[in-house]
Amino acid sequence: MHFSDLGLKAEIQRAVAEQGYDTPTPIQQQAIPAVLAGHDLMATAQTGTGKTAGFTLPILHRLASGPNDRLTRVARTPRVLVLTPTRELAIQVEESVRTYGKHLPINSLAVFGGVGINPQIANLRRGVDILVATPGRLLDHVQQKTVDLSGIEIFVLDEADRMLDMGFIRDIRKIIALLPKVRQNLLFSATFSPDIRELASGLLHQPVSVDVAPRNTAAETVAQKIIECNREQKQDLLKHLFDSRGLHQVLVFARTKHGADALARTLDKAGIKSAAIHGDKSQGARTRALSEFKDGKLVALVATDIAARGIDIDALPYVINYELPNVPEDYVHRIGRTGRAGMEGEAISLVCHDERPQLKDIEKLIKRNLERVVIEGFEQSATAAPRPPQPPRGPRQPQVGRGQMPKSGQKPGGPQQHRSGSRHR
Ligand code: AMP
């Protein structure tokens, strides 16, 4: 199948061709015709499957195909609302809209918390067709009456599972209540939990279901290894892996922001160019780290689960779990960052005594036992050494993990939220 077979407007096909894509990905093949036909959509798809273009392309087509007066009038209210859990994803989705819509007279804007609201208000006033927003900041705009959602024709909930994990359900329901009753709804989620099912059943009307990424896909295709070791050996073992295997472009997962910072510093000191990305880093620092990582200037990027979600890096050769996640699904998300698009990928997990329960949960979820590898000089002892005292944690270093995220009704405030609006045309 070719993009030209999908019946998208010539301007959109041109933008797609300029990106160098000729074949739609499986999610695009299924989602684009359904969205073009006006159906609601329930899509199970992770980042990396091409899901963003899967909804952006047909949305652009629909907007540009309607009565054109709406595209030229001055005081526009948004026609499309895309809700995303994080500022990074909001920025990326809006960038995709801009990329694929560059030959169309369509405006887009990303709004998210942590930055001044006034520039966003000014941009909203100028007129926006496609609004990409995180829930908290969107509700701030609603409260200040600086956004009018009564003209929304298409509503997209991106990474719905992550939104629920982050405690956004109440905000989402409030936002849905502000939308016109008749509209098209698209829901994207990496997993299809009972909570998502419930949300979907209230939101979607006779949806077309698309499932391109059953949650164990990555678990089946990525080469995975477990290195059993002692907790106190992990740093040396990690450095040894970098040195002995000449690893490059490695995404290393740590469980906490504090841990990610400390590990990046340690690696850096050992001559392995590294940076950490997590929710306490400024957007500038994150963007810089990410682009240096993509350019190969950094050998390792140390990330927390939430910071890593939604970052757009194609086909990483290696993912290393310095620590296992508490939530087994996060393991599948993590290793899904490698081995994409038919490339070889390897995921290595360093597992100490304390993490055996997490490992058991992961193996249960992915329904297979992972290969154990022993590295000479780093063999695990029969029993765990007593835990060293933990450094005290300041108030600005809350642990990032599902259990620690704000619950329903609270907005994730402070460092979790972010930073600047972007806009085009
Ligand atoms: P996403 O899953 O939306 O985060 O997209 C993952 C990556 O795939 C992005 O870098 C896109 O630019 C890229 N991509 C999207 N669609 C295609 C396609 N049809 N062919 C090749 N790459 C694509």
Side-chain angles (χ1 to χ4, degrees), residues 3 21 23-25 28 46-52 100 312 314:
F3 271 105
Y21 312 157
T23 317
T25 64
Q28 291 162 0
Q46 296 185 356
T47 299
T49 52
K51 71 181 166 70
T52 315
Y100 303 130
D312 177 20
D314 293 338

Side-chain angles (χ1 to χ4, degrees), residues 226-234 255 322 324 350-360 378-387:
I226 300 295
I227 305 180
E228 290 174 321
C229 60
N230 297 321
R231 190 196 321 116
E232 59 279 10
Q233 286 177 310
K234 277 194 176 185
R255 218 157 38 191
Y322 183 72
L324 287 182
L350 312 191
V351 180
C352 64
H353 288 93
D354 316 347
E355 293 172 300
R356 284 189 182 158
Q358 284 103 300
L359 180 58
K360 227 170 112 188
F378 295 94
E379 295 85 356
Q380 192 172 54
S381 52
T383 52
R387 219 173 217 295

Side-chain angles (χ1 to χ4, degrees), residues 66-74:
N68 274 343
D69 61 327
R70 290 219 60 183
L71 285 179
T72 52
R73 76 200 156 78
V74 183

Side-chain angles (χ1 to χ4, degrees), residues 80-84 111 131-143 147-150 152 154-157 163 168-181 183 185 199 203 411:
V80 176
L81 172 64
V82 182
L83 280 188
T84 68
V111 299
L131 180 62
V132 186
T134 52
R137 179 50 66 95
L138 182 65
L139 284 171
D140 292 342
H141 281 288
V142 167
Q143 208 166 20
V147 71
D148 176 358
L149 300 179
S150 67
I152 296 294
I154 306 175
F155 173 56
V156 183
L157 206 50
M163 297 243 214
F168 281 135
I169 186 66
R170 277 219 218 151
D171 287 352
I172 293 170
R173 291 201 192 284
K174 270 190 222 161
I175 292 163
I176 291 174
L178 297 165
L179 304 178
K181 294 277 164 296
R183 54 169 202 269
N185 302 290
L199 179 68
L203 177 68
K411 279 177 203 159

